[in-house]
Amino acid sequence: MLGIEAKNIFKSFGTPPQDILKDVSLDITVGDFVALTGKSGSGKSTFLYIVSGLDNPTSGDVKLSGTSLLGMNSAEIHCLRNTSIGFVFQFHYLLPELTGLENITMPARKTGTHKAMEEYALHLMESFSVLHCKDKFPSQMSGGEGQRVAIARALIQKPKFLFADEPTGNLDTINGDKVMEIFKRINKEDGTTILFVTHDPDYAALASRRVHMIDGKIAEIS
Ligand SMILES: Nc1ncnc2c1ncn2[C@@H]1O[C@H](COP(=O)(O)OP(=O)(O)OP(=O)(O)O)[C@@H](O)[C@H]1O
Ligand SMILES: [Mg+2]
């Protein structure tokens, strides 16, 4: 199965170690659109960081497109994260000294394809209704605009996988709805596999599947 395969993931923090993820296994097929729900502290972010290679599990394995993240060195993970994985955080974390357009083309700059990417960046900005932010700095954008620019940045390399940790958590309903519309669209039109965390049942209902976590375990998949 080529998609996301998380197998028997355990994660513990602290001394003495406390188990935060307790034997979590989840398969996500290519093109799937999955919402991850659960109470605060149930382990959603921890799981998302592990399946996206931002953090290592204490034990267990994660495969993306059939390749285990655990066998990779940090340069290989970095390369994978730069090309196949997009990540959107609750707070957009745009670089304050760069304009909207520069923020989006940042990942492309590193790989030396900056010029070719600029056109695609402008296309993404237009389709997410933030073209007017191309020369603005993040401090001059609204929260919703900043988040849509951050989504464009996450998508600039046309990643197979998009991970998002409460992408609407810091937005009002109108802007939250816009983010979810974008997610639905890129999942449908580009076939991007999406795993996103949300506390909002209405947004979770938009996904193809819902994975509910309780106390570090998957309690229900619907
Ligand atoms: N680096 C860390 N060191 C110690 N404990 C941690 C660390 N990261 C997370 N935890 C603990 O792991 C548990 C799960 O945290 P996590 O951030 O995954 O929860 P969450 O489901 O994303 O919650 P929220 O909805 O509030 O974002 C929490 O009890 C948290 O305190
Ligand atoms: Mg969290």
Side-chain angles (χ1 to χ4, degrees):
M1 191 204 79
L2 299 180
I4 303 166
E5 297 163 89
K7 214 168 174 178
N8 306 117
I9 302 293
F10 285 81
K11 179 71 176 178
S12 46
F13 289 114
T15 35
Q18 202 194 340
D19 281 343
I20 297 302
L21 294 180
K22 303 161 187 166
D23 201 9
V24 177
S25 295
L26 181 67
D27 285 346
I28 297 177
T29 49
V30 170
D32 214 348
F33 183 21
V34 180
L36 188 56
T37 61
K39 276 191 188 153
S40 179
S42 57
K44 305 179 298 295
S45 296
T46 305
F47 182 67
L48 205 65
Y49 291 174
I50 288 172
V51 288
S52 60
L54 283 171
D55 198 1
N56 291 315
T58 304
S59 66
D61 192 20
V62 177
K63 284 186 185 148
L64 292 184
S65 301
T67 306
S68 171
L69 296 183
L70 297 193
M72 292 186 185
N73 62 35
S74 59
E76 287 167 329
I77 290 218
H78 188 79
C79 178
L80 181 82
R81 296 205 54 245
N82 224 345
T83 54
S84 301
I85 297 173
F87 204 104
V88 177
F89 296 88
Q90 178 171 355
F91 298 97
H92 56 62
Y93 297 122
L94 295 173
L95 295 172
E97 70 279 16
L98 298 183
T99 65
L101 181 60
E102 288 167 344
N103 263 287
I104 295 169
T105 54
M106 256 288 286
R109 248 181 225 195
K110 289 184 201 146
T111 56
T113 51
H114 174 59
K115 274 271 175 281
M117 286 289 166
E118 197 163 292
E119 212 168 291
Y120 186 54
L122 292 170
H123 163 77
L124 288 171
M125 290 190 100
E126 183 166 26
S127 65
F128 301 166
S129 309
V130 283
L131 193 55
H132 61 285
C133 295
K134 84 184 169 69
D135 299 318
K136 283 190 181 184
F137 293 98
S139 62
Q140 301 166 321
M141 300 173 196
S142 72
E145 287 168 345
Q147 190 61 303
R148 298 204 294 283
V149 169
I151 295 169
R153 177 182 58 181
L155 295 174
I156 188 71
Q157 304 276 52
K158 302 185 180 164
K160 287 195 191 92
F161 307 106
L162 180 70
F163 300 97
D165 195 359
E166 298 193 49
T168 61
N170 198 32
L171 303 177
D172 60 27
T173 311
I174 291 173
N175 282 296
D177 289 355
K178 281 186 191 169
V179 166
M180 290 311 302
E181 275 164 28
I182 289 170
F183 278 20
K184 262 197 99 88
R185 179 148 42 103
I186 58 176
N187 171 252
K188 202 169 167 216
E189 292 175 6
D190 306 330
T192 310
T193 307
I194 300 177
L195 176 62
F196 73 103
V197 173
T198 185
H199 280 280
D200 188 321
D202 290 341
Y203 292 153
L206 295 174
S208 330
R209 288 200 297 156
R210 280 146 296 281
V211 174
H212 188 67
M213 289 187 71
I214 297 177
D215 192 22
K217 292 182 187 162
I218 292 178
E220 196 186 346
I221 299 180
S222 60

